[in-house]
């Protein structure tokens, strides 16, 4: 019987060698469709279109997310302008409804999620010591598909006239208000189709990243040696994996109703609109943890670095993340306390929600404990990270007050909720992600963002943020409903609304200062003759710092072998005879310098872009004209066909080992070592390294 | 022995290192199938929730279902799972001819099932149950339609394998590809097991 | 960054964190002039809710101060300054003393897992007690049941004085829910189109009005007065303009109000302005609006080119899940019943005041001492309603414009309306 | 020969692998593979499973006709669900090889199935007025 054995060189692996593991076999064709030759090389702007490099894809995710953030932020400013005074008339009620809907949708699906995806793509393979994700082409496809969906959603703002066809039923889009009868223009179609497309992107990338983490770890990188960020990203991907199909179902039902007259939310035919609410929130609640967990991971990288201590309670940090992931599934109906569920359901969901505070609290307290007795350097990333600890707690606490079902009947759909979720999303997720930008900027681009500008921008943002959303607590408790285009003068809301509006423009200043900082720092770096920032400018801990900055295309020159948690840090530091921690090696000496040119990398490909584009065309077709959809389908099928016939690695490519390797998408991500592993410091008597076997056994 | 295997692997290609020792593709398929559970779960619950939400004189499940017919087509799909495992086991043995035969048989059985579904849909439609007729209609067609689409995709993949095999591109070295597509196929079958029981056999 | 700047930053961060917290406290203590406030309930349920949440606010406040205090204390105590000069040179700090490398402490971890768990367990007990207490609507002395029907973008109240919701209502009115003081009023909340939510913050929390479903709710007030409300589920275009008022009267006043409402309107005497107004109304308005006693099927003929929404109204007015089955569409076709318009203090989803000196004025009772009709607004409304309040009139949602009416017609119509008390 | 788990399993967050007896042939290093001593499912086993599936299906369909003779709905549903679960298990365990394959597959899939069941059952119950 011919069973080819897969190499198991990793002592830390599962050891369940699968006797049914069947070989995947050799590549079959090199010239897909026989017409096009493959894209080659990694220079020039076209190389970005066809790249399958996880780092470039990560950068593109980040850039797109930042762009959409400006769009969503501009929308937010219009919201604030309209609400600044009673009887506001900056934009009318109709436009207002479109603006807050597309603001919510943009911020959630086109800003926070892709920004997290940017970090996941860039850092996840690096942190586990891999050369790329498991399926690089699928990764590229995820990005293009996301971008297609994002463009489709955003184009609704101007297609057919400004704000004429924008989704306007709120970001959770309750039926039957989202039906054709009540929202006859194409806005909700854009919503349904656009989210479906970005959903495909996220689902594919979830599968991809899960396999990457499970399968592509460097030697010795057992699960409990992975950085907290990797863990949080992994949990996020699992949440996506299981949550997305639920909203997929909901969106399909909505689409069927709107496009083909089905009856799922047609009350006249006996439907119960609560079905939409359940389906949406079964997705929607895990979704909020999808938004926050990556930021939690980022904070867990930044705080130890600038406290000069390992993360406190690593295993509890991981376990609480997993616990949040699990518990997040059993609380969705806390968004429906007033929807008319029976008291028993309300009671159950109320209590289950409250207890999510426990694992989240564990995280907050562990960060504080990490800082305790540390040597805290308040660099810009650290400011952001500590900002998260502080601001997220505020949002979390108001979240707990929502979970008290009887009182939520007073709070729900008021600005008290709006305050809650901006505190957790802006004060938690977004601040965390911004901190991540500052932290990893030198790794990604090879130079630092300016610290002075960074700090100034942080403080401006933080102050603006609190002035914008702090007053919303008060407004909400004073009875101001959300999603109202304006309010009466005698309701007493004018003052705090004005404060909030001013605050939002202060945030805008902070954001502009960030953009300026990027521009300014880049220019300064260029003018200085592009000095090398070094592999490890922050004296950090993760494997991503063990290679040159910016990260070379092949990530690491040699295969990495990991011996403990925070391995890179332990390579830098050892203990002297007195047991004091001393530097054992310079980062430059340990880190790979990116000089290995003999690495075979997965080759670029046209098909991810074509496939992603095809899907968006199908999307537009569903909204406007089925012929466009047919055209999209042609692209889609062609791309799939080309994709399948094309091996992941082009045997003709420059760095090839030659023919004969298989078309596993991940092939050749590990090169032959060219240099011996850098010498290790005296082994640090680190409890982690001893715990390892026990804790993960 | 282990040394032998390892050195052999190193000579062929170093790249096959994977932390779990499992192939990425197979792992990905299982991860994906985990996700599909929630998709079909959602559709099935939607059906269960909506099937009775029809007026007293509306056309409902008991008016249209033809259990003997559906039983036969369900049985056909069930048996296609058997032929699918035969295909996998043939290619592991290196028996490419039988592999092709079983692949084709599986695809054919799948096609019979889909044809049955098409027939069923037209029959129901002529009895007055359209997609838009009532909630039962919408939910029923959505659920079984989604399943049918999955089967159809499966058939296309099986046919592609068949063509690959004819061209000599599907050797026993690529047996895993067949296995992975088999996983998908069985999953679709398993979903039908649930649908058949819940939608058709549950007392109306 | 210079020392001075740093001090400033410190100060402002302190200000921001504790300032905003303090502001919330102040806002809670000073709660005047907020007609929709949840912080000063007057209804039994509202008070129960406040009694539950206020201590929890305090607990949350304590946790807030502990965490923020810890952040600032750690920051202050353990910060090292100097090396983060922002000049891009981050040395290796070789010379730097490392802090003790603590990796964790299981006892501490278990401690801060258990402490919140216990705290929340206690909170959840009180939550459940309140929850079930609120749900357990004691058979109130009040026999009357009010069916509350939400629709785009106003509220209709159907009073079933005998508590039997399956018979036609005794009173139909709009936007202002009039109720006696001190008793639990059972509500039966429904919707004709999309989801709305019924909320009088000072009396009780909110409950959604979901089409096809009927939700029980109860409100009570321990004081007389006018209490404002707001539809709180996004329901489309004019959601923000969909408000309502609960008018709480003494039992005696309520009885007077009730008897007056049951009576139909009187036909204006011929030759008066009001009668001319009635004629216009019959032609232009009665296709949608009902004024008991003076509009009937016969005078709905008119010249109106509007679709006959009256028919839709008829179909939907007996509103329960079953009634929808088999119908093709579900739209808000009905318009407010205007029989006793002048007894209301507000109109158009309570967005506009019907009287200029509204205040806490209860129109029906005080009309004698002459509330001043908000004539300009009413006329503007009749002339061009969609301009005064967003509406999708051509989709049968909201009141259409009547710009064909001459100023004289409008005067007449207003005169007619003034008789509707 | 018994299964020897390596000291560091890669999936510590999940419980000890559920290893059916057939798995025993696979040692931690997978070396015994080459000896051919493991119980690779044979085609005959598949046929047996298929026969079982066919019989179950036949019986399921039979209950449908039999229900005409007045069995209680609950009894019917319980029986049907039992048979459905059994069929589901047979296909998944044997045809999809989960019984013999790496436990991580089993866990991933079971997680999805169980999650879907729990969530959607909760959802359907929450629709009741209690
Ligand atoms: C990043 C996203 C995010 C996060 C992390 C959270 C976290 C939480 N959310 Fe929030 N939530 C949203 C985003 C998020 N939420 C959004 C977008 C909405 C509105 C959707 C819409 O309607 O548009 C919403 C709405 C929302 C509601 C519905 C309100 C309503 O509409 O009526 C509820 C109700 O229970 C709720 C609860 C919670 C709880 C209990 C947490 C908990 O996870 C918080 C836990 C954290 C802490 C408690 C702080 C730290 C803990 C300690 C310091 C320990 C000690 C603490 C105690 C003992 C209390 N959220
Ligand atoms: C997910 C993240 C997220 C983020 C980051 C934000 C950020 C902001 N949001 Fe919010 N918001 C939501 C998610 C988010 N939001 C959601 C989900 C809803 C609910 C929607 C619904 O009800 O359906 C909502 C709703 C919502 C409302 C309530 C609307 C209503 O209910 O009627 C308000 C009101 O003030 C608001 C304000 C703001 C403000 C001022 C910001 C600011 O922080 C924004 C700061 C950013 C900027 C200020 C950008 C600066 C950029 C420029 C100045 C350059 C512009 C130039 C170019 C475009 C070239 N948001
Ligand atoms: Cu009605 Cu909002
Ligand atoms: Cu939630």
């Amino acid at each position: 019987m011919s069973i080819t054995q897969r190499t198991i060189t990793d002592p830390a692996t599962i050891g369940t060698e699968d006797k049914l593991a069947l070989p995947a076999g050799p590549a079959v064709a090199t010239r897909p469709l026989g017409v096009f030759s493959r894209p080659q090389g990694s220079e020039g702007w076209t190389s970005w279109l066809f790249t399958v490099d996880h780092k470039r894809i990560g950068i593109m995710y980040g850039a797109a997310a930042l762009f959409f953030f400006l769009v969503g932020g501009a929308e937010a400013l219009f919201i604030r302008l309209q609400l600044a005074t009673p009887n506001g008339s900056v934009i009318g009620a109709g436009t207002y409804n479109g603006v807050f809907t597309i603001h919510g949708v943009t911020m959630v699906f086109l800003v926070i999620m892709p920004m997290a995806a940017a970090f996941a793509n860039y850092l996840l393979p690096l942190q586990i010591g891999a050369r790329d994700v498991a399926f690089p082409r699928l990764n590229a496809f995820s990005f293009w598909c996301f971008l297609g969906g994002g463009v489709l959603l955003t184009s609704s703002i101007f297609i057919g006239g400004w704000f004429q066809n924008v989704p306007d039923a709120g970001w959770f889009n309750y039926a039957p208000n989202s039906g054709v009868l009540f929202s006859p223009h194409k806005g909700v179609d854009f919503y349904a189709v656009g989210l479906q497309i970005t959903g495909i992107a996220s689902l594919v990338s979830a599968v991809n990243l899960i396999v990457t983490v499970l399968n592509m770890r460097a030697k010795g990188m057992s699960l409990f040696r992975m950085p907290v960020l990797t863990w949080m990203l992994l949990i996020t991907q699992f949440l996506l994996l299981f949550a997305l199909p639920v909203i997929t179902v909901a969106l399909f039902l909505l689409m069927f109703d709107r496009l083909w007259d089905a009856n799922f939310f047609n009350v006249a035919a006996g439907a119960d609109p609560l079905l939409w609410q359940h389906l949406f929130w079964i997705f929607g609640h895990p979704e909020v943890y999808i938004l926050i967990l990556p930021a939690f991971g980022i904070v867990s990288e930044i705080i130890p670095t600038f406290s000069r201590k390992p993360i406190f309670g690593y295993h509890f940090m991981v376990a609480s993340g997993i616990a949040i992931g699990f518990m997040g599934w059993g609380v969705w109906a806390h968004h429906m306390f007033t929807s008319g569920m029976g008291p028993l359901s309300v009671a159950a969901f109320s209590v289950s929600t409250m207890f999510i505070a426990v694992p989240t609290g564990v995280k907050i307290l562990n960060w504080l404990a990490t800082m305790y007795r540390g040597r805290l350097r308040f660099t810009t990333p650290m400011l952001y990270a500590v900002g998260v600890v502080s601001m997220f707690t505020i949002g979390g606490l108001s979240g707990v007050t929502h979970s008290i079902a009887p009182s939520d009947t007073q709070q729900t759909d008021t600005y008290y909720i709006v305050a809650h979720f901006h505190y957790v999303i802006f004060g938690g997720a977004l601040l965390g992600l911004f901190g991540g930008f500052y932290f990893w900027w030198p790794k990604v681009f090879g130079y630092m963002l300016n610290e002075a500008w960074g700090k100034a921008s942080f403080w401006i943002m933080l102050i603006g943020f609190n002035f914008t959303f702090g007053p919303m607590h008060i407004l909400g408790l004073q009875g101001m409903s959300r999603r109202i285009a304006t309010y009466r003068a005698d309701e007493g809301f004018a003052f705090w609304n004005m404060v909030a509006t001013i605050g939002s423009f202060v945030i805008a200043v902070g954001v502009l200062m960030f953009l300026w900082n990027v521009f300014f720092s880049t220019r300064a770096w260029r003018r200085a003759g592009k000095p090398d920032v070094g592999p490890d400018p922050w004296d950090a801990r993760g494997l991503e710092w063990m290679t040159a900055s910016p990260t070379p295309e092949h990530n690491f020159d040699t295969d990495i072998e990991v011996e403990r948690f925070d391995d890179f840090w332990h390579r830098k530091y050892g203990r002297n005879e007195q047991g004091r921690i001393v530097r054992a090696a310079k980062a430059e000496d340990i880190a790979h310098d990116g000089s290995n040119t003999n690495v075979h990398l997965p080759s670029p490909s046209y098909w991810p872009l074509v496939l992603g584009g095809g899907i968006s065309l199908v999307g537009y077709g569903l909204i406007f004209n089925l012929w466009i959809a047919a055209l999209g389908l042609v692209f889609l099928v062609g791309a799939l066909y080309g994709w399948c016939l094309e091996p992941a690695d082009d045997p003709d490519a420059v760095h090839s080992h030659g023919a004969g390797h298989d078309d596993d998408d991940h092939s050749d991500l590990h090169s032959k070592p060219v240099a011996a592993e850098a010498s290790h410091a005296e082994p640090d008597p680190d409890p982690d390294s001893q715990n390892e076997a026990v804790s993960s056994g | 022995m282990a040394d032998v295997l390892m050195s052999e692997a190193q000579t062929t290609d170093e790249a096959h290192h994977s932390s779990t020792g499992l192939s990425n593709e197979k792992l990905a398929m299982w991860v994906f199938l985990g996700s599909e559970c929630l998709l079909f779960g959602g559709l099935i619950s939607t059906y269960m929730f909506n099937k009775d939400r029809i007026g007293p004189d509306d056309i409902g499940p008991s008016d249209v279902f033809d259990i003997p017919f559906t039983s036969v087509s369900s049985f056909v799909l069930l048996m296609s799972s058997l032929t699918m495992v035969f295909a996998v086991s043939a290619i592991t043995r290196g028996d490419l001819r039988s592999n092709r035969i079983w692949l084709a048989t599986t695809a054919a059985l799948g096609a019979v099932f889909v044809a049955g579904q098409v027939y069923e849909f037209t029959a129901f439609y002529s009895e007055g149950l359209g997609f838009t007729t009532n909630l039962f209609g919408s939910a029923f067609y959505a659920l079984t339609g989604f399943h049918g689409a999955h089967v159809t995709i499966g058939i296309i993949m099986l046919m592609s394998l068949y063509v690959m095999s004819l061209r000599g591109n599907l050797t026993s070295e690529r047996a895993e590809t067949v296995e992975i597509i088999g996983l998908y196929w069985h999953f679709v079958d398993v979903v039908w097991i649930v649908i058949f029981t819940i939608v058709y056999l549950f007392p109306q | 960054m210079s020392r001075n700047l740093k001090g400033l930053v410190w100060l402002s961060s302190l200000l921001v964190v504790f300032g905003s917290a303090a502001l919330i406290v102040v806002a809670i203590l000073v709660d005047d002039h907020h007609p929709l406030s949840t912080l000063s309930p007057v209804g039994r349920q509202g008070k129960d809710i406040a009694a539950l949440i206020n201590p929890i606010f305090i607990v949350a406040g304590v946790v807030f101060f502990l965490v923020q205090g810890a952040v600032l204390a750690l920051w202050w105590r353990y910060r090292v300054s100097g090396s983060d000069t922002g000049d891009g040179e981050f040395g290796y700090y070789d010379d730097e003393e490392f802090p003790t490398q603590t990796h964790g402490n299981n006892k501490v971890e278990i401690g801060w897992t258990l402490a919140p768990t216990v705290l929340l367990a206690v909170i959840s007990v009180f939550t459940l007690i309140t929850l079930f207490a609120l749900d357990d609507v004691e058979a109130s002395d009040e026999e009357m049941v009010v069916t509350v029907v939400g629709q785009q973008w106003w509220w209709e109240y159907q009073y079933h004085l005998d508590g039997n919701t399956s018979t036609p209502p005794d009173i139909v009115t709009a936007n202002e829910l009039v109720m006696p003081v001190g008793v639990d009023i059972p509500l039966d909340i429904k919707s004709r189109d999309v989801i709305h939510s019924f909320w009088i913050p000072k009396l009780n929390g909110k409950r959604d009005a979901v089409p096809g479903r009927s939700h029980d709710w109860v409100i009570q007030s321990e004081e007389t007065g006018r209490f404002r409300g707001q539809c709180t589920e996004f329901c489309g275009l004019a959601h923000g303009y969909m408000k309502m008022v609960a008018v709480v009267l003494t039992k005696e006043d309520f009885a007077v109000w009730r008897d007056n409402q049951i009576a139909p309107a009187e036909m204006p005497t011929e030759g008066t302005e009001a009668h001319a107004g009635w004629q216009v109304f019959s032609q232009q308005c009665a296709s949608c609006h009902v004024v008991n006693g003076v509009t009937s099927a016969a005078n709905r003929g008119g010249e109106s080119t509007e679709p006959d929404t009256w028919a839709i109204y008829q179909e939907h007015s007996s509103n329960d899940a079953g009634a929808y089955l088999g119908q093709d569409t579900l739209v808000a076709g009905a318009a407010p019943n205007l029989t006793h318009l002048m007894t209301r203090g507000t109109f158009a989803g309570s967005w506009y005041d019907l009287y200029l000196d509204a205040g806490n004025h209860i129109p029906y009772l005080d009309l004698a001492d002459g509330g001043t009709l908000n004539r300009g607004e009413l006329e503007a409304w009749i002339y061009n309603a969609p301009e005064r309040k967003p509406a999708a009139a051509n989709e049968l949602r909201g009141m259409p414009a009547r710009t064909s009416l001459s100023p004289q017609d409008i005067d007449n119509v207003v005169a007619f309306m003034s008789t509707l008390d | 020969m018994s299964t020897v788990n390596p000291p560091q399993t890669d999936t510590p967050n999940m419980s000890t692998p559920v290893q059916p007896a057939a798995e025993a042939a696979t040692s931690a290093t997978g070396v015994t593979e080459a000896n051919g001593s493991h119980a690779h499912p044979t085609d005959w086993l598949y046929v047996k499973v298929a026969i079982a599936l066919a019989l179950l299906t036949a019986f399921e369909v039979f209950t449908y006709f039999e229900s005409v003779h007045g069995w209680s709905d609950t009894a019917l549903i319980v029986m049907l669900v039992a048979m459905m679960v059994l069929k589901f298990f047979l296909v998944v365990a044997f045809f999809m090889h989960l019984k013999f394959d790496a436990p991580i597959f089993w866990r991933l899939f079971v997680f999805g199935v169980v999650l879907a069941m729990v969530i959607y059952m909760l959802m359907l119950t929450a629709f009741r007025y209690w």
Side-chain angles (χ1 to χ4, degrees), chain A residues 110 145-146 148-150 152-153 188-199 251 619 623:
Chain A
L110 308 182
C145 193
F146 149 73
L152 184 133
L153 269 170
V188 177
D189 300 332
F190 274 105
Y191 173 97
V193 172
L195 291 192
Q196 204 76 286
I197 295 176
T198 55
L251 292 173
I623 300 174

Side-chain angles (χ1 to χ4, degrees), chain A residues 67 69-74 76-77 79-80 83 96 100-101 103-109 111-112 169-172 291 415 418 421-422 425-426 430 465 468-469 472 481-485 500 504-505 507-509 511-512 515:
Chain A
F67 168 76
F69 176 60
L70 295 184
V71 176
L77 295 180
I79 296 180
R80 288 314 324 162
L83 292 178
Y96 182 83
F100 76 70
T101 302
H103 162 71
V105 172
T106 304
M107 287 295 196
V108 170
F109 295 97
V111 178
I112 308 288
W171 85 282
F172 46 72
L291 300 178
Y415 266 79
V418 178
F421 68 74
H422 283 94
I425 294 185
F426 192 110
L430 199 70
F465 163 71
T468 310
F469 300 110
M472 290 185 189
S481 284
R482 62 193 284 203
R483 298 168 160 192
I484 55 175
S504 68
F505 280 86
I507 304 181
V509 172
V511 173
L512 290 177
L515 296 180

Side-chain angles (χ1 to χ4, degrees), chain C residues 331-387:
Chain C
V331 290
N337 183 309
L338 299 179
T339 311
H340 296 278
L341 177 67
M342 288 300 138
T343 66
R344 304 174 199 158
T346 54
F347 71 100
S350 290
W351 179 255
Y352 289 113
D353 290 326
L354 195 56
Y355 296 95
L356 284 175
D357 43 0
N360 253 7
H361 176 101
I362 296 171
Y364 172 67
L365 298 172
D366 304 348
L367 211 60
D369 37 293
T372 326
L373 191 64
N374 191 353
R375 199 168 237 290
E377 203 56 71
L378 187 59
E379 286 177 355
W381 172 262
I382 294 170
Y383 181 66
N384 192 348
E387 193 182 69

